[in-house]
Amino acid sequence: MPIATINPATGQTLRTFQPLTADQLEARLQCAADAYHRHRRTTFAERASLMRKAADILEGEKEAFGRLMVTEMGKPLKAATEEAAKSAWGCRYYAEHAERFLADQEVKTSASRSYVTWQPIGPVLAIMPWNFPFWQVFRFAAPALMAGNVGLLKHASNVPQCALAIEDIFRRAGFPEGVFQALLIETEHVRSVIEDPRVAAVTLTGSNTAGSQVASAAGKVVKKTVLELGGSDPFIVMPDADLPAAIATAVKARIVNNGQSCIAAKRFIVHEAVADEFERGFTAGMAGLAVGDPMEAGTDIGPLATEGQLRTIADQVDRAVSAGARVLTGGRRPDRQGWYYAPTVLAGITPESPIFREEVFGPVALLFRVRSVEEAIRLANDSPFGLGASVWTRSDADRERFVREIESGMVFVNAMVASDPRVPFGGVKESGYGRELSPLGIREFVNAKTVWVA
């Protein structure tokens, strides 16, 4: 896949980029190594001052950054502008809290003093996806740089201008040369970067296939990885739920980011007592969404990010229908230029259907009916993924059962799943391992060094 900006609303190639040569890549890796040895010796106060300046740039130019995201991957402009602002929030959060999160931790032993000190480990390679081209990067970069590490970004090949813009933000904020660099390289060269002895660790957000390949390459050279992979999040609605709120949130949770989000609700598991009413309201809500130019204010759904993504979604729906699924709305490409797919609701899906166990990365919802809490939990867990879950109930007892028994990294009760700098983000099973955000996120790429003073 070429490194290029291709507008998904038109299919037009706007700009192409030459990948780094071997010599250029070598220079950037050495620059990162040299920068790390200087950056690790700076104080938290010094790093925080620069990180706040990065936040100021993000906030001050959020509309321009939003338009850049829309141009490269097609999300609605309002969402893209909010993403830039959220990235600023992440920068400010770690600027404010990093020193406390990484403060020496005293441990009472027989020694005169014993404690754990948290120290940076070196350049961290981030392999990031196109769906949240700013937020995914900043939620890695803010804690990594505040911890004293330096960042190397291998961004998705269809968002090169976003990658370069982020590098420029850190440079303009005053971070020294080499502390954060974007590597415009082709996928086949990623393994050599992972294996380079100057790279200390790797974090990846992406597909299960990519995660497996990165973990294998990093494991071969004994390097730490954090993987945030796919998701097929359940959205469970019980009879005592606030049904209008659940329906409205369900539509939003399915089509966030044009449906291209790991934590978007994808499997809607509804108790039979309210299933008819939920189906009517949810289907009407999906059918009523405005599909159109993502730059226009009234657009709810823009195009999918790539032509390949569009083909995958169309194929998944076609195979599901061939296996017996019913299309309640959508199930087709709109008659317009660009990589659009109509908001779709499928029902009557059986475990034998391929789509039952796949991640559907687009505006396609799978609707299921259940008869009990037990059946809802069993169906929610009948997935290779375990990223997030949303449950809707007023019952304290049912809530506690869902929290205890659903196999996922996150459970949101009477709310849609979302990332927040203050709480850990990550999953279990094939959704990956490790955590981003919160105190846990900044401690993923540090050395927890034990100190024992006799």
Side-chain angles (χ1 to χ4, degrees), residues 66 210 242 290 339:
D242 179 340
W339 300 325

Side-chain angles (χ1 to χ4, degrees), residues 109-130:
T109 68
S110 60
S112 63
R113 186 190 179 200
S114 48
Y115 62 98
V116 179
T117 188
W118 312 89
Q119 297 181 334
I121 58 174
V124 180
L125 173 64
I127 303 168
M128 293 288 109
W130 44 258

Side-chain angles (χ1 to χ4, degrees), residues 59-72:
E59 289 171 341
E61 302 174 27
K62 62 184 179 181
E63 288 83 6
F65 295 136
R67 288 185 172 275
L68 179 58
M69 286 184 250
V70 176
T71 299
E72 292 205 305

